[in-house]
């Protein structure tokens, strides 16, 4: 044996083990968390050092190159990676790959982008630039302005080489610009007593692993609470992470943090790979103090993280839907415990899990029961539409209410959780309907351009002119989507400006921002939209919120459907009457006796949650059990079922309960047949034990993909 060191490397492949590599004696031993280039099979890959081992009989191949002298991933993240692999029963190689930004995965060096600023040194050019007219021009500009920022170069029609030349000649001095974080000396608002109590409760736990549930109605000033606590964090030299469901949809939130602290970094799907890696590195090195990000930001590295906030903690977008199916909310809590820092979960409609954790005393709870600034909560009213003739989803009574609110100078928000024109295109002669060729799903009709679109796989085609089954040419549009609701409103209120906000219209963030700005000017207007409207917008002049159809959500098969629907209704309702004007919420239903709906309108979200808690307890569903969903998918139906059967066979008898196997609610999607089973256990440890056995059996079959979704949030 020689004295070569051996490192354990996580390679970016869906493999459940790390691999040992010899470090040649000519190389410094890379630290844990550093990237290395290693041979793997026939190729060379970029892996991460996950550990050191002194001797190994597995190590045959050698590290080819060490990419980082200092760890790219700090130890808390390499620890977290191991925890993630165990908890989500996910291949360790893939976990490490998920932690790294795309550029880091490709082996790009960890160097920071620098925004440079050039200052005039005070010297005159004294003929030095006589033969360089462009440099002279740059110099004139610089002398006039005193300094020029890199970001201004294009606007000034200058380039870096011109200014670099000035530096060489002693006429300019360059400096790297760092974001400047600060804390306000005075605050605009005087905190309410409840806000002040929440701030001091949370602040008192800085430096301890405490999770707080900040349960505050929409508009109660939760964001204000976050800002005050973060100010304390910054004063003490710490960093803060704020997780939000969607950044592009809520530019105001980011603007508010930037205005408060002078700077704030953002991490979201709109970033380029270059920006992403840069923000990531600057958080790791403590240059950024405040990071606002969507789901994946929970995996960002920090030098001195002191607080994590999860705003709208109930939101489903915090759960990753494929690959490493983590919940950013749960991971935030885990990171808080590992780093011994507080985590604040804020929501007007907390998840049943978080409510239960608060109830059992695991989370500290702060309540903001009323709106900040004196606005009142909107009144809710149920409209029984049984037996009524509806005009594309609108009852006459609802139209009357819209008239009244528009006449009174208010704005109206119509919520319908379905984009497109109509969810079903039906032949009026033979009842044929348009279905997706690749999925077990109906196609949604979209207008302008006329297309039938599958909301599951993205397939689209032109609508038929004649029925493919009987040749007749008369079709009926069944149901109402946002486009159709907008059409109905356009006919009835031709002079009132309308704004449609759904995934089809918000592809352009600029357009959304322009629309929101126009809406905030406050003149009478009608907004039609999907759940995108529920997300945190402050729309002070909306006085009427209409929920066109509350039934579909409450009746859906998924066990979380009632919770999700109640949250949506309360969140959309929360857009109404946020300013001086009181708001009203109208909810149309064919099912006015629905227990969920009655609980919600009579006793609010808290009453609904108390009811739903009993339902979950009786059904032994989360938070009263731990659940994993196991799914198999294949182009060949029998193969998927075959492997799922085998997988379920590896589970130890007695420890867990299995519901299924059964076809997935969308049993075929993008030409893949899908079947699934829920595995339940009253104790989480039993579930993990069972899944460990499953993992150890390494089930596989050609042409079948299978996955474990721990703590699934929906079963579609
Ligand atoms: P949330 O995050 O709970 O929806 P925000 O923090 O956005 O609530 O506050 C809602 C509105 O009330 C904002 O316009 C905010 O500026 C204002 N606000 C917050 N706290 C106060 C306060 N203590 N006094 C007056 N207005 C406040
Ligand atoms: Zn037909
Ligand atoms: Zn499809």
């Amino acid at each position: 044996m020689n004295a070569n060191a051996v490192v354990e490397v996580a390679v970016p492949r869906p493999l459940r083990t790390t691999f040992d590599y010899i470090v040649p004696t000519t190389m410094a031993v890379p630290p844990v968390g550093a990237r290395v280039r290693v041979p793997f099979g026939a190729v060379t890959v970029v892996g991460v050092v996950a550990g050191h081992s002194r001797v190994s009989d597995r190590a045959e191949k050698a590290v080819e190159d060490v990419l980082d002298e200092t760890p790219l991933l700090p130890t808390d993240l390499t620890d977290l990676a191991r925890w993630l692999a165990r908890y989500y029963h996910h291949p360790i190689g893939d976990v490490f790959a998920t932690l790294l930004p795309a550029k880091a995965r490709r082996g790009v060096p960890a160097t920071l982008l620098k925004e440079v600023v050039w200052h005039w040194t005070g010297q005159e050019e004294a003929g030095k630039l006589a033969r360089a007219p462009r440099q002279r021009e740059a110099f004139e500009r610089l002398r006039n302005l005193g300094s020029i920022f890199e970001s201004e170069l294009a606007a000034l029609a200058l380039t870096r080489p011109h200014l670099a030349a000035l530096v060489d000649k002693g006429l300019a001095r360059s400096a790297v610009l760092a974001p400047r974080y600060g804390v306000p000396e005075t605050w605009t608002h005087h905190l309410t007593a409840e806000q002040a109590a929440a701030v001091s409760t949370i602040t008192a736990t800085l430096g301890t692993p405490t999770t707080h549930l900040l349960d505050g109605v929409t508009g109660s000033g939760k964001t204000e609470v976050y800002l005050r606590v973060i100010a304390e964090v910054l004063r003490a030299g710490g960093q803060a992470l704020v997780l939000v469901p969607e950044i592009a949809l809520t530019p105001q939130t980011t603007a508010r943090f930037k205005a408060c602290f002078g700077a704030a970094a953002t991490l979201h799907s709109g970033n380029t790979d270059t920006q992403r890696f840069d923000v990531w590195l600057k958080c790791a090195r403590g240059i950024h103090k405040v990071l606002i990000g969507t789901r994946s930001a929970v995996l960002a590295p920090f030098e001195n993280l002191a607080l994590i906030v999860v705003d709208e903690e109930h939101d489903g977008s915090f759960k990753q839907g494929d690959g490493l199916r983590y919940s950013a909310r749960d991971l935030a809590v885990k990171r808080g415990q590992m780093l011994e820092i507080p985590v604040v979960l804020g929501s007007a409609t907390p998840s049943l899990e978080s409510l239960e954790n608060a109830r059992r005393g695991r989370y500290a709870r702060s309540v903001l029961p009323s709106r900040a600034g004196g606005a009142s909560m909107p009144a809710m009213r149920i409209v029984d539409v049984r037996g009524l003739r509806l005009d594309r989803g609108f009852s006459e009574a609802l139209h009357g209410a819209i008239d009244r609110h528009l006449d009174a100078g208010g704005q109206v928000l119509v919520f319908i959780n379905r984009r497109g024109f109509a969810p079903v295109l039906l032949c009026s002669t033979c009842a044929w309907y348009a279905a997706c060729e690749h999925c077990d799903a109906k196609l949604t009709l979209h207008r302008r351009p006329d297309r039938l679109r599958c909301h599951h796989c993205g397939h689209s085609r032109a609508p038929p002119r004649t029925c493919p089954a009987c040749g007749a040419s008369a079709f009926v549009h069944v149901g109402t989507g946002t486009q159709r609701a907008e059409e109905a409103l356009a006919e009835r209120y031709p002079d009132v400006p309308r704004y449609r906000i759904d995934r089809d219209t918000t592809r352009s963030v600029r357009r959304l921002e322009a629309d929101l700005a126009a809406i905030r000017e406050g003149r009478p207007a009608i907004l039609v939209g999907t759940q995108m409207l529920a997300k945190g917008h402050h729309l002070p002049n909306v006085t009427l919120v209409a929920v066109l159809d509350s039934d579909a959500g409450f009746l859906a098969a998924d066990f979380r459907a009632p919770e999700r629907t109640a949250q949506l209704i309360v969140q959309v309702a929360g857009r109404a009457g946020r300013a001086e004007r009181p708001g009203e919420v109208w909810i149309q239903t064919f099912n006015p006796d629905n227990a969920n709906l009655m609980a919600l309108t009579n006793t609010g979200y808290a009453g609904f949650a108390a009811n739903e808690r009993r339902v979950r307890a009786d059904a032994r569903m989360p938070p009263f059990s731990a659940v994993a969903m196991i799914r198999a998918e294949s182009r060949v139906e029998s193969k998927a079922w075959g492997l799922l059967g085998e997988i379920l066979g590896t589970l130890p008898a007695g420890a867990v309960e299995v519901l299924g196997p059964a076809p997935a609610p969308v049993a075929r999607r993008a030409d893949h047949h899908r079947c699934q089973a829920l595995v339940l256990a009253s104790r989480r440890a039993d579930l993990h034990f069972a899944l460990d056995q499953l993992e150890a059996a390494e089930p596989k079959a050609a042409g079948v993909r299978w996955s474990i979704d721990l703590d699934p949030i929906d079963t579609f």
Side-chain angles (χ1 to χ4, degrees):
M1 289 286 321
N2 62 20
N4 275 333
V6 173
V7 286
E8 255 183 77
V9 177
V11 298
R13 294 286 185 279
L15 297 165
R16 292 181 188 272
T17 54
T18 54
F19 295 83
D20 287 353
Y21 287 88
I22 295 163
V23 183
T25 42
T26 51
M27 237 179 235
V29 179
V32 170
R35 290 170 300 166
V36 287
R37 236 183 260 283
V38 292
F40 191 75
V43 295
T44 300
V45 299
V46 176
V48 178
V49 177
H52 292 144
S53 43
R54 266 225 320 221
V55 279
S56 164
D57 39 17
R58 290 195 295 157
E60 289 165 8
K61 294 184 176 172
V63 171
E64 287 179 3
D65 203 0
V66 175
L67 300 181
D68 304 299
E69 282 166 22
T70 54
L72 185 67
L73 289 174
T75 29
D76 71 298
L77 282 187
T78 50
D79 290 348
L80 189 69
R82 288 184 185 278
W83 181 85
L84 278 164
R86 274 199 313 275
Y87 186 86
Y88 288 106
H89 298 269
H90 195 79
I92 184 90
D94 208 43
V95 171
F96 272 97
T98 307
L99 283 179
L100 296 179
K103 286 226 153 177
R105 277 201 299 275
R106 292 200 293 270
V108 173
T111 43
L112 303 181
L113 294 182
K114 292 176 181 152
E115 207 206 351
V116 178
V117 57
W118 290 272
H119 300 286
W120 179 38
T121 53
Q123 279 197 42
E124 292 300 334
E125 54 116 2
K128 285 182 195 163
L129 304 175
R131 278 181 296 153
R134 296 282 287 143
Q135 287 178 28
R136 229 188 113 101
E137 200 179 307
F139 177 74
E140 297 296 333
R141 284 277 166 92
L142 182 64
R143 199 178 56 171
N144 290 340
L145 295 168
S147 54
I148 292 177
F149 293 93
E150 191 173 12
S151 54
E152 299 173 329
L153 287 178
L156 296 171
L158 298 174
T159 62
R160 288 183 69 131
H162 296 137
L163 288 141
L166 298 185
V167 173
D168 287 345
K169 292 174 180 155
L171 300 172
R173 182 165 52 72
S174 67
V176 173
L177 206 62
R180 274 180 196 230
Y181 285 86
V183 173
E185 276 163 24
T186 55
W187 298 86
T188 348
H189 300 303
H190 207 74
L191 291 183
T192 62
E194 290 89 2
Q195 283 175 315
V199 170
S200 61
T201 306
I202 300 165
T203 309
T205 65
L206 288 173
T208 72
T210 313
T211 305
H212 298 265
L213 177 61
L214 180 60
D215 183 349
V217 298
T218 48
S220 59
K222 295 184 289 295
T223 310
E224 198 68 27
V225 170
Y226 309 150
L227 293 173
R228 304 289 176 118
V229 181
I230 292 171
E232 290 305 314
V233 166
L234 296 189
R235 276 195 198 106
Q239 293 169 290
L241 166 63
V242 181
L243 298 174
V244 295
E246 218 135 358
I247 284 189
L249 291 179
T250 50
Q252 316 156 58
T253 308
T254 317
R256 215 163 138 192
F257 280 82
K258 283 191 175 152
C260 188
F261 302 120
T266 57
L267 208 53
H268 54 91
S269 57
N271 294 133
T272 63
D273 285 351
T274 305
Q275 286 168 336
R276 225 181 146 70
F277 194 23
D278 187 55
V279 167
W280 194 90
L281 288 170
K282 284 177 178 159
C283 290
R285 309 215 177 144
I287 295 168
H288 277 306
K289 305 291 181 196
V290 178
L291 175 66
I292 305 174
T294 48
R295 185 173 61 224
S296 67
V298 76
L299 300 171
F302 292 91
E303 186 183 52
N304 186 18
L305 187 61
L307 176 78
I308 307 177
V309 170
V310 185
D311 191 30
E312 311 291 0
E313 67 88 27
H314 64 278
D315 198 281
S317 72
F318 287 125
K319 174 87 172 165
Q320 168 87 16
D322 52 19
L324 175 60
R325 293 171 165 79
Y326 64 92
S327 151
R329 190 234 1 245
D330 297 349
L331 214 47
V333 173
K334 181 67 198 172
R335 264 194 109 172
Q337 285 162 358
M338 291 171 79
L339 294 170
E340 305 198 340
I341 59 170
V343 176
V344 180
L345 308 179
S347 178
T349 53
S351 62
L352 289 178
E353 277 80 0
S354 296
L355 286 172
E356 193 60 19
N357 280 320
R359 192 185 155 106
R360 293 183 192 168
R362 288 191 201 139
Y363 294 176
R365 184 174 188 168
S366 294
V367 181
L368 307 178
S370 52
R371 287 186 158 178
S376 57
M377 289 303 283
M380 284 205 199
R381 148 196 256 168
I382 292 184
V383 187
D384 180 359
V385 292
R386 281 176 300 184
L388 298 185
R389 228 187 62 87
L390 299 183
D391 167 26
R392 288 160 283 190
F394 293 83
S395 62
E396 236 352 272
L398 178 56
H399 272 313
I402 295 175
D403 285 335
R404 266 193 292 109
H405 280 264
L406 292 174
D407 285 346
Q411 295 178 334
V412 173
L413 188 163
V414 176
F415 170 71
I416 171 150
N417 210 13
R418 210 180 256 148
R419 67 199 164 89
F421 187 80
V424 187
L425 181 72
L426 188 77
C427 167
S428 56
T429 312
C430 77
W432 170 92
Y433 61 82
C436 180
E437 288 128 65
H438 308 285
C439 306
D440 287 340
K442 296 187 178 72
L443 291 172
T444 301
L445 180 66
H446 286 246
R447 283 280 166 85
R448 281 167 280 125
D450 277 13
R451 292 302 276 181
L452 287 165
R453 293 185 191 281
C454 176
H455 289 183
H456 295 283
C457 73
H459 166 76
S460 85
R461 60 182 154 97
R465 281 163 203 237
T466 56
C467 172
C470 75
S473 54
F475 293 98
V476 268
H477 303 139
V478 185
T480 300
T482 46
Q483 284 188 321
R484 197 175 193 197
E486 191 192 356
E487 181 193 83
L489 292 162
E491 283 170 24
R492 182 129 181 169
Y493 311 98
D495 304 326
V496 182
R498 290 171 315 278
Y499 302 91
R500 178 158 60 88
I501 295 178
D502 58 28
R503 198 133 50 86
D504 297 322
T505 64
T506 54
R507 292 230 166 86
S508 152
V509 173
R510 240 173 257 272
R511 169 163 167 200
L512 175 68
E513 279 179 36
D515 281 359
L516 288 173
I519 292 162
R520 259 181 245 117
E521 280 177 16
R523 279 184 292 280
I526 300 174
L527 291 67
V528 183
T530 56
Q531 55 173 333
M532 300 219 145
L533 274 175
K535 304 217 172 183
H537 304 288
H538 187 56
L539 305 168
N541 288 304
V542 168
T543 55
L544 173 65
V545 168
V547 178
L548 226 47
D549 171 15
S550 63
D551 299 327
F554 279 128
L555 298 177
D558 193 82
F559 77 89
R560 284 188 210 273
E563 176 183 352
R564 215 164 20 234
T565 306
Q567 287 164 343
L568 258 178
I569 291 179
V570 173
Q571 293 288 346
V572 190
R575 305 305 121 208
R578 281 170 70 103
E580 315 76 53
R581 302 152 177 257
E584 248 188 297
V585 181
W586 284 45
I587 302 172
Q588 294 194 143
T589 177
F590 285 98
N591 199 358
D593 305 324
N594 180 295
N596 288 316
L597 187 58
M598 286 193 3
L600 188 62
T601 45
N602 295 336
T603 57
Y605 184 77
F608 161 82
N611 261 3
E612 187 64 9
R613 176 181 184 276
R614 281 190 291 275
V615 173
R616 296 274 186 90
D618 290 345
R620 294 213 311 112
M621 280 293 180
F624 300 96
S625 60
V627 172
M629 184 175 74
I630 300 176
R631 174 178 285 163
E633 332 189 0
S634 172
R635 284 180 181 271
V636 184
E637 193 172 356
S638 59
K639 282 192 180 177
W641 285 89
L643 185 66
L644 182 60
E646 239 177 76
I647 291 172
L648 297 178
T650 66
L651 297 171
V656 291
E657 185 187 341
V658 177
L659 302 182
V666 179
R668 189 173 52 104
R669 182 162 170 174
D671 294 315
H672 283 79
H673 297 271
R674 310 150 84 224
C675 51
Q676 63 193 37
L678 283 187
V679 184
L680 276 84
S682 7
R683 293 187 319 150
R684 193 164 278 279
D686 291 339
L687 180 64
H688 280 298
F689 172 74
L691 296 176
D692 285 341
Q693 312 292 305
L694 188 168
E695 229 182 311
E698 295 187 41
K700 51 173 158 300
V704 190
R705 272 195 315 218
W706 68 278
S707 59
I708 298 176
D709 185 355
L710 207 91
D711 311 323
I713 59 147
D714 65 44
T715 51
F716 277 80

